[in-house]
Amino acid sequence: MDISQIIDPLNKAQRQAVCSEAQNTLVLAGAGSGKTRVLVHRIAWLVQVENVSPYSILAVTFTNKAAGEMRFRIENLLKTPVRNMWVGTFHGLAHRLLRSHWQDAGLVENFQIIDSDDQLRLIKRIMKELGIDDKQNPPREVQWFINESKDNGLRAEQINVRELHNREYMLEVYQQYEALCQRTGLVDFAELLLRAHELWLKQPHLLKHYQQRFSHILVDEFQDTNTIQYAWLKVLSANNLPQTQISTFVVGDDDQSIYGWRGAKIEHIREFEQDFKAGSSATVRLEQNYRSTGNILDAANAVIANNSERLGKELWTEDGEGELLQVYQAFNEIDEAAYVAGQIEKWVEKGGKRSEIAILYRSNAQSQPHEYELVKRAIPYRVYGGLRFYERAEIKDALAYLRLVSNRQDDAALERIINVPTRGIGQRTVDIIRMAARETQQHLWQTAQTLIAEQRLTARAAGSVQKFVDLIDEMSALVTDNSMSLSEQITHIVEVSLLKEFHGKENSERAQAKVENLEELVNAAKRFDDEGDPLLDAVKESNERMPETLSMSPLAEFLAHAALEAGEGQADEWEDCVQLMSLHSAKGLEFELVFLTGLEQGLFPHKNALQDFSGGRLEEERRLCYVGITRARQQLHLTHAESRTIYGRNERAYPSQFLTEIPADLIRQVRAVSQSPAFAASCSHFNNEASEDGVSIGQRVTHKKFGEGTVIDIEGTGARARVQVNFDYEGSRWLMLNIARLA
DNA sequence: GAATCTCTTGTTTTT
DNA sequence: CAAGAGATTC
């Protein structure tokens, strides 16, 4: 047993956490203080020193990425695979529990997971059936209401009608939605958690089994737990029983809580100390930062200090202060992207790797101008998040075929593809089937066949529907008869569905991309064939000690994988490329060079957060900013634009309040402000040349008029330059063609 | 029933 | 600007 390997790389506070003898340990870990390391080493410590079986350990994370990373690092440290240890996201673990105990959970064996897109469609359908005007009552609001209720552990019947303030229809939709999902074997994200929680409450024998099994529960990103997740943990750990033997170890940072909008409650950190009081408890603070330079940390500390109600934490480093933060004020988002790309080129020229660079933004749509610029300069990049692979329409179509093959009750899937590709089943026919299904409380698949048999459809419609039914049955035969591999099955289904032909016949770039995506789906299935799902393996392995066994067809496994992981990590991962992602997906990651872009009031902080009078949401935006700043190791560039295209319109933009919260002495303004709105219409040549050859463009620009060879005086901080600029008026905006310095 | 056109509406963030 | 809904035409 080699304890030194586990202990030596740790500082005092980290060691204190890893070796904690308390039954319940709370680790308050600032950004970059070695949070993951502590978790990984804690588990290694438990296994090697305290002789805890990996079988008795449950580790919970929030993203699949984090779960994979944790398992990888544990196995690296222990130098042995830990197959039967459960490591997963709350959703992933809940899903496995429900698969293993579907009967006890009141589900059908082959239940399907739906994403929020499917969920919204179902809600729209129900509202239509109930005759609720979706103009006045946006389905999105109802969706939000349902998910919020579930996140708080509330079923429809537990909701007090009076609290709805004449929005009783929401409750009605919720009830109908629940019934529909139950009838058709569909489970949404929030439902996974709620069911898993109810499983504990309704099936004490199962709860007892898992309580006896898990002696140690570890939770990462604890500040992001929502009510139902927290409740699930509390029940499992038997924290209310003084004699419980279960030890909990949670790691979190209140300053990095950025999922309040999803029901996460920072208060859980505080509550933990009161709620988990069985046996002894300890709190450890990790404040020494091993990631960023002093200046970056000072900026982060200064920004987050504006929040109230913090648990209090100040990051520090033993390393030097490093470079100043650079702030660049761009004319517009194109200019911003050009600046970023220019800096990236510099970094790479100096021998830096592209994978050390991240471009971060508040909302995914902001990736576009950056992508455009990077393509232009042939800089390889990779975008995370946004429309994920398994969320693309054509992929979801293909998956809907697979779902229907695997579960004929899946109404959501059936509705999606009954007329994709078009096969002569129109809105009218679908409406008839829907209504009939509603009357008999049957699912659509069965109803459609009944309607044909009873000749309640027109001959033409009946023929088309019959063809569809036959098609699905035929696919089903392919899948069940042969002992084909998963990827072969999917290849067949994609072929037979004629989806490729359907999308391919459209002669656009987008259509081409869709066909390629469908081909990529087959590759994804191949990869899944080879690699499988580590959590599933763990469950299978450990289920040997349970009376219930978990048996899922490869197809069902693949579908669940697609629903829960939405398809990160496909393609080009090996190439050295710049990383583009939202601030939310950047949490937990670090980069040498970080660009924090779009720092404008209304964009970041987002305008919706600014409307909130309580300020709670503004504080969450600020935490998001804190997360962004602390991603950087060496260099941090903060950019904002004077003008930004929003919904196709050019809008004036103002610097984010967060910029002013950073002490001025930590910042170097790369270029000062230009007040002329006409300049905002200029293109990127100007900015590059002007800033590149050292001209500092000043506060005011004097110009006579725009046109061929306009001469402009630029006043900088102290400096002054005269330049000749050639413009072209193109429709509605000025394009700057070139610029030359005169004096 | 399908394809095409016009008009409105809107995007924060993710399991 | 782009996607979705609704209306119109084939």
Side-chain angles (χ1 to χ4, degrees), chain A residues 377-391:
Chain A
R377 303 183 190 217
I379 301 171
Y381 67 92
R382 179 167 136 73
V383 189
Y384 287 82
L387 227 212
R388 312 254 260 297
F389 183 68
Y390 290 114
E391 286 167 3

Side-chain angles (χ1 to χ4, degrees), chain A residues 61-69 71 87-93 95-96 113-116 189 192 382-392 395-396 399 521 524 527-528 531-537 556-570 573 585:
Chain A
T61 63
F62 273 80
T63 64
N64 297 299
K65 214 194 280 174
E69 164 115 353
R71 182 181 291 277
V87 184
T89 63
F90 274 107
H91 290 88
L93 294 164
H95 171 237
R96 291 311 176 196
I113 303 168
I114 55 170
D115 65 12
S116 42
F189 289 134
L192 286 170
R382 179 167 136 73
V383 189
Y384 287 82
L387 227 212
R388 312 254 260 297
F389 183 68
Y390 290 114
E391 286 167 3
R392 289 161 207 243
I395 297 302
K396 291 200 70 178
L399 291 178
L521 178 65
R527 277 197 296 276
F528 190 74
E531 291 162 25
D533 180 333
L535 178 59
L536 181 74
D537 293 344
E557 282 171 17
F558 181 69
L559 285 170
H561 168 83
L564 282 174
E565 302 219 11
E568 286 296 355
Q570 35 102 218
E573 240 178 314
S585 21

Side-chain angles (χ1 to χ4, degrees), chain A residues 340-369:
Chain A
V340 170
Q343 293 294 320
I344 290 175
E345 282 173 341
K346 270 192 189 164
W347 178 267
V348 175
E349 270 167 34
K350 280 191 215 147
K353 287 173 74 178
R354 285 184 291 263
S355 56
E356 296 166 342
I357 308 169
I359 304 175
L360 307 181
Y361 33 76
R362 174 69 238 263
S363 61
N364 286 307
Q366 285 169 254
S367 75
Q368 221 209 31

Side-chain angles (χ1 to χ4, degrees), chain A residues 110 112 398-410 413-414 417 445 468-469 471-480 489 493 553 555 559:
Chain A
N110 51 357
Q112 299 285 331
L399 291 178
Y401 276 97
L402 301 176
R403 273 165 54 177
L404 200 55
V405 163
S406 140
N407 171 18
R408 297 290 199 290
Q409 302 181 19
D410 190 336
L414 186 139
I417 47 150
W445 176 260
F468 173 70
V469 170
L471 178 69
I472 299 298
D473 281 339
E474 180 193 338
M475 288 178 173
S476 195
L478 272 173
V479 171
T480 43
Q489 290 177 1
I493 289 181
S553 71
L555 179 56
L559 285 170

